[in-house]
Amino acid sequence: MTIACLGDQAATGGKGAIRFADGTSGNERYIGGIEYQHAGNDMFFRTSGSLRMAIDNAGNVGIGNTDPVTKLHVQNPNKIDDVYGLLLVENTSTGTG
């Protein structure tokens, strides 16, 4: 695994990133990472080589969406076949009251 911190361009127009690499070529260089885009002041999170989550400059969070339009914007382009669907809110408290 390689961890790299880099600034791709000038601070006002480029991006800064921490990348977790499984290799030195192709998509393996970007398999995981955290990226900050200076032009829009947005932050992106990458797993398995794909962008998975974004936080825009208004604090909106997109999961499966890199351009969220509300505080929490969850998008899944695939049919939901599992029992939990898109969102699971679970209370694991064993107390009373």
Side-chain angles (χ1 to χ4, degrees), residues 39-53:
N41 294 316
D42 303 318
M43 185 166 285
F44 300 97
F45 298 84
R46 179 185 297 272
T47 64
S48 296
S50 297
L51 291 174
R52 304 294 184 179
M53 186 174 80

Side-chain angles (χ1 to χ4, degrees), residues 44-86:
F44 300 97
F45 298 84
R46 179 185 297 272
T47 64
S48 296
S50 297
L51 291 174
R52 304 294 184 179
M53 186 174 80
I55 303 173
D56 71 10
N57 59 17
N60 295 331
V61 176
I63 299 173
N65 181 312
T66 58
D67 191 22
V69 296
T70 188
K71 288 298 175 195
L72 179 59
H73 185 164
V74 180
Q75 182 176 353
N76 185 352
N78 302 315
K79 181 182 174 190
I80 305 297
D81 287 332
D82 61 43
V83 294
Y84 299 117
L86 286 177

Side-chain angles (χ1 to χ4, degrees), residues 2 15 17 19 24-25 45 90:
T2 301
K15 64 182 173 183
R19 297 210 172 116
T24 58
S25 64
F45 298 84
E90 183 177 13

Side-chain angles (χ1 to χ4, degrees), residues 18-21 27-34 46-49:
I18 298 172
R19 297 210 172 116
F20 304 91
N27 197 35
E28 295 297 309
R29 296 176 296 166
Y30 310 107
I31 206 73
I34 302 167
R46 179 185 297 272
T47 64
S48 296

